Coordinates of all heavy atoms in Angstrom, one line a residue:
F473 N 115.5 14.5 74.9 CA 116.1 15.8 75.1 C 117.5 15.8 74.6 O 118.2 14.8 74.6 CB 116.1 16.3 76.6 CG 117.1 15.6 77.4 CD1 118.4 16.2 77.6 CD2 116.8 14.4 78.1 CE1 119.3 15.5 78.4 CE2 117.8 13.8 78.9 CZ 119.0 14.4 79.0
E475 N 120.4 19.0 75.1 CA 120.7 20.4 75.5 C 122.1 20.9 75.1 O 123.0 20.1 75.2 CB 120.4 20.7 77.0 CG 121.3 20.0 77.9 CD 121.2 20.6 79.3 OE1 120.2 21.3 79.6 OE2 122.1 20.3 80.1
C476 N 122.2 22.1 74.8 CA 123.5 22.7 74.5 C 124.0 23.3 75.7 O 123.4 24.3 76.2 CB 123.3 23.8 73.4 SG 122.6 23.1 71.9
T477 N 125.1 22.8 76.3 CA 125.7 23.4 77.5 C 126.3 24.8 77.1 O 126.4 25.1 76.0 CB 126.8 22.5 78.0 OG1 127.9 22.6 77.1 CG2 126.3 21.1 78.2
A478 N 126.6 25.5 78.2 CA 127.3 26.8 77.9 C 128.7 26.4 77.5 O 129.3 25.4 78.0 CB 127.4 27.6 79.2
P480 N 132.6 26.1 77.7 CA 133.5 26.4 78.7 C 134.4 27.6 78.4 O 135.0 27.8 77.3 CB 134.4 25.1 78.8 CG 133.5 24.1 78.2 CD 132.7 24.8 77.1
G545 N 125.5 26.5 83.4 CA 125.5 26.0 82.0 C 126.0 24.6 81.9 O 126.4 24.2 80.8
S546 N 126.1 23.8 83.0 CA 126.5 22.4 82.9 C 127.9 22.3 82.3 O 128.2 21.3 81.6 CB 125.5 21.6 82.1 OG 124.3 21.6 82.7
K547 N 128.8 23.2 82.6 CA 130.1 23.2 82.0 C 131.3 23.0 83.0 O 132.4 23.0 82.6 CB 130.4 24.5 81.2 CG 130.5 25.7 82.1 CD 130.7 27.0 81.3 CE 131.1 28.2 82.2 NZ 130.4 28.4 83.4
S548 N 131.0 22.8 84.3 CA 132.1 22.9 85.3 C 133.1 21.8 85.0 O 134.3 22.1 85.0 CB 131.5 22.7 86.7 OG 130.7 23.8 87.0
L549 N 132.7 20.5 84.8 CA 133.7 19.5 84.6 C 134.4 19.6 83.3 O 135.6 19.4 83.2 CB 133.0 18.1 84.7 CG 133.9 16.9 84.7 CD1 134.8 16.9 86.0 CD2 133.2 15.6 84.6
M550 N 133.7 20.1 82.3 CA 134.4 20.3 81.0 C 135.4 21.4 81.1 O 136.4 21.4 80.4 CB 133.3 20.6 80.0 CG 132.3 19.5 79.7 SD 131.2 19.9 78.4 CE 130.3 21.3 79.0
A551 N 135.2 22.4 82.0 CA 136.1 23.5 82.1 C 137.2 23.2 83.1 O 138.4 23.1 82.8 CB 135.4 24.8 82.5
M637 N 130.8 24.1 73.2 CA 129.8 23.5 74.1 C 129.7 22.1 73.8 O 130.1 21.6 72.7 CB 128.5 24.3 73.9 CG 127.9 24.2 72.5 SD 126.3 25.1 72.3 CE 126.9 26.8 72.7
A638 N 129.0 21.4 74.7 CA 128.8 19.9 74.5 C 127.3 19.7 74.5 O 126.5 20.6 74.7 CB 129.4 19.1 75.6
Y639 N 126.9 18.4 74.2 CA 125.5 18.2 73.9 C 125.0 16.9 74.7 O 124.7 15.9 74.1 CB 125.3 18.0 72.4 CG 125.8 19.2 71.7 CD1 127.1 19.2 71.1 CD2 125.0 20.4 71.6 CE1 127.5 20.4 70.5 CE2 125.5 21.5 70.9 CZ 126.8 21.5 70.4 OH 127.2 22.6 69.8
P640 N 124.8 17.0 76.0 CA 124.2 15.9 76.8 C 122.8 15.7 76.2 O 122.1 16.6 75.9 CB 124.2 16.4 78.2 CG 124.3 17.9 78.1 CD 125.1 18.2 76.9
N641 N 122.4 14.4 76.3 CA 121.1 14.0 75.7 C 120.6 12.8 76.4 O 121.3 12.1 77.2 CB 121.2 13.8 74.2 CG 122.1 12.7 73.8 OD1 121.7 11.5 73.8 ND2 123.4 13.0 73.6
N666 N 120.6 8.2 79.8 CA 121.3 9.5 79.5 C 122.6 9.2 78.9 O 123.3 8.3 79.2 CB 121.5 10.2 80.9 CG 120.2 10.5 81.6 OD1 119.5 11.4 81.3 ND2 119.9 9.7 82.6
D667 N 122.9 10.1 78.0 CA 124.3 10.2 77.4 C 125.0 11.4 77.9 O 124.8 12.5 77.4 CB 124.2 10.2 75.9 CG 125.5 10.4 75.2 OD1 126.6 10.4 75.9 OD2 125.5 10.7 74.0
F668 N 125.8 11.3 78.9 CA 126.5 12.4 79.5 C 128.0 12.3 79.1 O 128.9 12.8 79.8 CB 126.4 12.4 81.0 CG 125.0 12.8 81.5 CD1 124.4 12.2 82.6 CD2 124.2 13.6 80.7 CE1 123.2 12.5 83.0 CE2 122.9 13.9 81.1 CZ 122.4 13.3 82.3
G669 N 128.3 11.5 78.1 CA 129.7 11.3 77.7 C 130.4 10.5 78.8 O 129.8 9.7 79.5
V670 N 131.7 10.8 79.0 CA 132.5 10.1 80.0 C 132.0 10.6 81.4 O 131.9 11.8 81.7 CB 134.0 10.4 79.9 CG1 134.8 9.9 81.1 CG2 134.5 9.8 78.6
I671 N 131.6 9.7 82.3 CA 131.1 10.0 83.6 C 132.3 9.9 84.6 O 132.8 8.8 84.8 CB 129.9 9.2 84.0 CG1 128.7 9.5 83.1 CG2 129.5 9.3 85.4 CD1 127.5 8.7 83.3
V672 N 132.6 10.9 85.3 CA 133.7 10.9 86.3 C 133.2 10.2 87.5 O 133.9 9.3 88.1 CB 134.2 12.3 86.6 CG1 135.1 12.3 87.8 CG2 134.9 12.9 85.4
V677 N 126.6 12.0 89.4 CA 125.8 12.3 88.2 C 124.4 11.9 88.4 O 123.5 12.6 88.0 CB 126.5 11.6 87.0 CG1 125.5 11.6 85.8 CG2 127.8 12.3 86.6
Q680 N 122.7 14.5 90.5 CA 122.4 15.7 89.7 C 121.2 15.5 88.9 O 120.3 16.4 88.8 CB 123.6 16.1 88.9 CG 124.7 16.8 89.6 CD 124.4 18.2 90.1 OE1 124.1 19.1 89.3 NE2 124.3 18.3 91.4
C733 N 132.2 12.7 74.5 CA 132.3 14.0 73.7 C 133.7 14.0 73.1 O 134.7 13.6 73.7 CB 132.1 15.1 74.7 SG 132.2 16.8 73.9
N736 N 136.4 17.9 74.3 CA 137.2 18.3 75.5 C 138.0 17.1 76.0 O 137.7 16.0 75.7 CB 136.2 18.9 76.6 CG 135.2 17.8 77.1 OD1 135.6 16.9 77.9 ND2 134.0 17.9 76.7
L738 N 138.3 15.4 78.7 CA 137.7 14.4 79.5 C 136.7 13.6 78.7 O 136.3 12.5 79.2 CB 137.1 15.0 80.7 CG 138.0 15.3 81.9 CD1 137.3 16.0 83.0 CD2 138.7 14.0 82.4
G739 N 136.2 14.1 77.6 CA 135.1 13.4 76.9 C 133.7 13.6 77.6 O 132.8 12.8 77.3
A740 N 133.6 14.5 78.6 CA 132.4 14.7 79.3 C 131.5 15.7 78.6 O 131.9 16.5 77.8 CB 132.8 15.3 80.7
K741 N 130.2 15.5 78.9 CA 129.2 16.4 78.2 C 128.4 17.3 79.2 O 127.6 18.1 78.7 CB 128.2 15.5 77.5 CG 128.8 14.8 76.3 CD 127.7 14.0 75.5 CE 128.4 13.4 74.2 NZ 127.4 12.6 73.4
G742 N 128.5 17.1 80.5 CA 127.8 18.0 81.4 C 126.5 17.3 81.7 O 125.8 16.6 80.9
C743 N 126.0 17.5 83.0 CA 124.8 16.8 83.4 C 123.9 17.6 84.4 O 122.8 17.2 84.7 CB 125.1 15.5 84.1 SG 126.0 15.7 85.7
G744 N 124.4 18.8 84.8 CA 123.7 19.5 85.9 C 122.3 19.9 85.6 O 121.4 20.0 86.5
E745 N 122.0 20.2 84.4 CA 120.6 20.8 84.0 C 119.8 19.8 83.2 O 118.6 20.1 83.0 CB 120.8 22.1 83.3 CG 121.5 23.2 84.1 CD 122.1 24.3 83.3 OE1 122.7 24.0 82.2 OE2 121.9 25.5 83.7
A746 N 120.4 18.7 82.9 CA 119.7 17.8 82.0 C 118.4 17.1 82.6 O 117.5 16.8 81.8 CB 120.7 16.6 81.5
G747 N 118.4 17.0 83.9 CA 117.2 16.4 84.5 C 116.0 17.2 84.2 O 114.9 16.6 83.9

Side-chain angles (χ1 to χ4, degrees):
F473 75 91
E475 65 165 16
C476 304
T477 69
S546 300
K547 68 181 188 319
S548 295
L549 188 62
M550 297 185 296
M637 61 183 62
Y639 304 96
N641 62 88
N666 304 279
D667 172 11
F668 295 145
V670 172
I671 293 179
V672 170
V677 168
Q680 283 292 294
C733 182
N736 66 73
L738 279 174
K741 291 185 175 179
C743 68
E745 297 163 314

